[in-house]
Amino acid sequence: MKRASRCSQSLAELKLYLASTSTPIFSRYHKRKMAIKLRNEYGPVLHMPTSKENFKEKGPQNAADSYGHKQYPANQGEYGIATIRNLFSILIGVALTADTKIQRMPSESAAQSLAVALPSSQARTDANRTAPGGNEYRLPGAPDRSQPAAMNSIVMEAGNSKNSALMAKKAPTMPKPQWHPPWKLYRVISGHLGWVRCIAVEPGNQWFVTGSADRTIKIWDLASGKLKLSLTGHISTVRGVIVSTRSPYLFSCGEDKQVKCWDLEYNKVIRHYHGHLSAVYGLDLHPTIDVLVTCSRDSTARIWDVRTKASVHTLSGHTNAVATVRCQAAEPQIITGSHDTTIRLWDLVAGKTRVTLTNHKKSVRAVVLHPRHYTFASGSPDNIKQWKFPDGSFIQNLSGHNAIINTLTVNSDGVLVSGADNGTMHLWDWRTGYNFQRVHAAVQPGSLDSESGIFACAFDQSESRLLTAEADKTIKVYKEDDTATEETHPVSWKPEIIKRKRF
C-alpha cells in the first residue's frame, strides 16, 4: 500500500502539472497523446485517490525573452523530470540522481550498466508488480505475465536523501541435510583371482553375482557370503553383469567384445549378441520390455531384442568410448556417459539423441538414476552432477570426491554412494549434496597397496546392505550402524562455507 500511495501521489503531481501548463509544447494533440500514455501505463492506479500534500510548484514563473518567446523552467522542458524521476524510482526500484537525464532511447552503455546493477531475479520481480486489487502495473514493453505475490522488492529507502541503494541479496545457503546413519564394513568376501569389475543383486535378494578380470562370473549367497556357482565362458575381463527381473536370465559382457545370455536353470549360455567392434564396458535391461542395451569402446551403444538377438538400433554420436549406460521406463529411456565428457539422453523409438549434456570437463564413467525421483546423477573426476529429466536440466554439483569415479549407486532413502579408483568411497545426501561419510577400507592382505580401487557398488534389494567390487580381488559388504544416533554422530553442517558451482 505504501508503494501504491507513492505511485498515486506522483501520478497526481503529473496530472496537476499537465493541467497547469499552457505552453506550445503541450498542445491539444500533445495533451491527448500524454493522456493516452497515462491511461495505458498507469491505468490500474488511476482510480486511486490523489494526494496533494507537500506538493508545491517549483521554479520561476514563465517569462518572455527579447524576441517575445516565453521561457520555461528546465524541469518543464524535460517533461517534469522531477515528477517522472519519482515515478521511475517507484516502478523499477532505482532512484535517479539530480544529474541524471531521462533519455527517450537509452544508450547501449547505460542499458548494460542497468542490467549489471539489477540482479536477474530482481529484474523479473520489478518488471511485473501486482497491485492489491489484482491488477498489474508494468514497465512499458514488459511481458504480460504475473509473478508470485510473495516476491518482495529490494529497495532501500534513504528518507529525504536523493540516493537509494540496492540491498545486497543474501547468498543462497544449503538446507540442512537429512541425517543418515553411518555405514560400517562387516564382511569381506574373497574368491576371485583378479580385479572384481562388476556386481549385481538378483531381484529375490537371495544371491548376487560378480564378474572379474579372472574371466569368471561367480554367484554368491547374499546372507552367508559363500560361493554358490562359477560360470566360465568369457575369454577376457568380464565388465558387466545384470540379472533379469522378467525371466531367469543373467546377462554379461566383457572386453572380449561378447555379450552373453545365461540360462540360470541350466547354467549355460543360450544366446550371443554379436555386433560390437571393441570391448563392451557396460549393459542394462529395460524395466518393462525385453530390450537389452550395451555400451562399448567402439563409441556406440546398441539396443538388442533379447529374444531374437537382433540389433534394433546402433546409437551413434559419442566420439570416444561409452563407459556406462542406464535404462528407464519413462522418457528419455536410455542415458549414456562417455569418455568424450558428454552425457546423451536417447529416444529409444527413433534411435537418436534427444539431449547432449556437455557440462563435464572429464570422462563420465558412471551414471545412476534415482529410484523415486525423476532425476539422475553422473560421476566424473571433476564433479558429481545431478540432473533433472526429461531435458537434463542441471540441479547441483557434489564436489569433494577428487578422484576418478568409477561407480555410483543410490537408494530410495537418498543415500548416494560414489566409489573411486583410489579406493575411497563417499556417501552423500541426495537432496542437499552433503557428504556425510568418507570410507577408505584397508586392502586385503597380500594385495599391493596400488591395488586399492572400487570398480562397482550396489545396494541389495532391501537397501540394508551395500556391496562393493574392488581391485584387491574382494567383495566388501557394508551395513548401517544400528547403534548410531543423531546425537552420537551429528551432522557437521556449516552452510556459510558451502558454495555451489553452477557448471
Side-chain angles (χ1 to χ4, degrees):
M1 288 300 297
K2 184 177 180 180
R3 180 176 297 279
S5 62
R6 288 179 57 202
C7 185
S8 176
Q9 179 179 350
S10 300
L11 186 60
E13 296 177 3
L14 184 59
K15 284 182 179 179
L16 291 174
Y17 175 77
L18 292 177
S20 63
T21 183
S22 59
T23 65
I25 295 177
F26 293 97
S27 62
R28 184 173 61 182
Y29 165 77
H30 196 76
K31 285 185 177 181
R32 183 173 298 175
K33 178 181 176 182
M34 293 299 293
I36 292 172
K37 290 184 67 176
L38 193 70
R39 184 176 66 254
N40 289 344
E41 298 180 15
Y42 307 108
V45 296
L46 286 176
H47 66 281
M48 301 183 67
T50 59
S51 175
K52 299 182 181 180
E53 62 180 87
N54 298 328
F55 175 74
K56 296 179 180 179
E57 292 189 12
K58 299 179 181 180
Q61 298 296 324
N62 297 346
D65 60 9
S66 57
Y67 295 95
H69 298 118
K70 292 183 178 181
Q71 299 288 336
Y72 308 101
N75 61 341
Q76 294 184 12
E78 294 181 358
Y79 300 99
I81 189 169
T83 301
I84 297 177
R85 181 186 299 122
N86 293 336
L87 289 174
F88 189 80
S89 64
I90 290 173
L91 288 175
I92 71 168
V94 177
L96 299 178
T97 63
D99 298 332
T100 306
K101 299 295 182 181
I102 293 181
Q103 303 175 5
R104 292 184 178 86
M105 294 297 291
S107 65
E108 183 178 354
S109 61
Q112 290 178 354
S113 63
L114 183 59
V116 171
L118 287 175
S120 58
S121 60
Q122 181 190 353
R124 290 194 299 269
T125 304
D126 293 328
N128 294 310
R129 297 193 184 278
T130 305
N135 297 322
E136 295 180 355
Y137 39 95
R138 302 182 301 278
L139 286 175
D144 187 10
R145 62 178 184 269
S146 62
Q147 295 289 343
M151 285 189 173
N152 297 323
S153 170
I154 53 172
V155 179
M156 183 173 66
E157 300 183 22
N160 296 327
S161 171
K162 294 183 179 181
N163 296 326
S164 64
L166 293 175
M167 294 174 62
K169 293 186 67 178
K170 186 178 180 181
T173 58
M174 179 191 298
K176 186 174 182 178
Q178 176 186 349
W179 182 82
H180 300 282
W183 292 71
K184 63 180 182 179
L185 177 68
Y186 83 99
R187 177 174 292 155
V188 178
I189 302 172
S190 301
H192 277 294
L193 303 178
W195 289 353
V196 188
R197 298 303 303 254
C198 50
I199 193 166
V201 181
E202 64 99 10
N205 212 38
Q206 298 298 313
W207 48 268
F208 66 95
V209 58
T210 56
S212 170
D214 62 10
R215 301 170 295 179
T216 65
I217 298 169
K218 292 184 183 291
I219 296 176
W220 312 81
D221 183 75
L222 185 58
S224 64
K226 293 182 178 180
L227 179 65
K228 297 180 67 174
L229 182 68
S230 291
L231 301 173
T232 58
H234 281 281
I235 58 175
S236 188
T237 301
V238 181
R239 293 294 297 266
V241 289
I242 190 168
V243 185
S244 173
T245 59
R246 300 166 56 86
S247 55
Y249 294 155
L250 164 69
F251 296 85
S252 65
C253 64
E255 294 181 2
D256 52 9
K257 311 177 192 176
Q258 297 184 32
V259 181
K260 297 176 183 288
C261 174
W262 304 77
D263 189 328
L264 296 177
E265 293 180 351
Y266 299 96
N267 300 328
K268 292 182 180 179
V269 177
I270 59 171
R271 296 188 185 101
H272 288 88
Y273 302 89
H274 297 287
H276 279 296
L277 305 178
S278 189
V280 185
Y281 284 164
L283 76 173
D284 199 12
L285 285 166
H286 196 283
T288 58
I289 56 177
D290 289 327
V291 163
L292 173 69
V293 185
T294 57
C295 61
S296 170
R297 194 170 61 190
D298 62 11
S299 304
T300 67
R302 286 181 179 261
I303 302 173
W304 310 88
D305 186 313
V306 170
R307 297 177 181 176
T308 65
K309 302 180 289 184
S311 179
V312 179
H313 288 300
T314 300
L315 306 180
S316 302
H318 284 294
T319 58
N320 206 329
V322 185
T324 181
V325 63
R326 288 292 178 267
C327 293
Q328 64 176 358
E331 292 290 346
Q333 298 183 54
I334 300 175
I335 302 94
T336 57
S338 170
H339 288 290
D340 64 7
T341 75
T342 67
I343 301 163
R344 287 179 180 256
L345 314 182
W346 301 86
D347 185 330
L348 175 61
V349 177
K352 295 182 180 178
T353 304
R354 287 170 52 111
V355 181
T356 302
L357 306 176
T358 60
N359 301 49
H360 281 293
K361 302 299 184 291
K362 295 185 179 180
S363 300
V364 180
R365 297 170 183 252
V367 168
V368 65
L369 314 183
H370 195 283
R372 292 183 179 176
H373 303 163
Y374 197 38
T375 56
F376 71 103
S378 57
S380 175
D382 55 0
N383 265 315
I384 299 170
K385 296 181 184 290
Q386 286 181 346
W387 315 85
K388 184 178 180 181
F389 288 123
D391 299 322
S393 304
F394 177 81
I395 300 175
Q396 65 179 349
N397 278 331
L398 281 66
S399 302
H401 203 168
N402 302 317
I404 298 173
I405 296 174
N406 290 321
T407 178
L408 292 172
T409 189
V410 63
N411 65 11
S412 57
D413 194 35
V415 176
L416 173 68
V417 181
S418 58
D421 218 37
N422 60 1
T424 60
M425 183 171 68
H426 287 200
L427 290 86
W428 314 76
D429 177 58
W430 178 276
R431 182 176 64 91
T432 61
Y434 173 70
N435 181 203
F436 68 89
Q437 187 180 1
R438 300 183 179 189
V439 179
H440 192 173
V443 298
Q444 180 76 355
S447 298
L448 300 176
D449 288 340
S450 60
E451 289 188 327
S452 177
I454 300 175
F455 294 118
C457 62
F459 287 100
D460 70 346
Q461 302 300 335
S462 68
E463 299 182 340
S464 62
R465 285 168 287 196
L466 172 65
L467 300 93
T468 62
E470 308 208 4
D472 61 0
K473 309 172 189 176
T474 67
I475 303 106
K476 294 184 173 67
V477 186
Y478 296 83
K479 67 177 180 180
E480 289 182 339
D481 187 352
D482 298 331
T483 63
T485 64
E486 195 166 358
E487 288 74 23
T488 60
H489 293 78
V491 176
S492 57
W493 174 63
K494 296 181 180 179
E496 66 276 6
I497 65 170
I498 293 172
K499 297 179 181 178
R500 294 185 185 180
K501 295 179 181 178
R502 188 59 187 166
F503 294 104

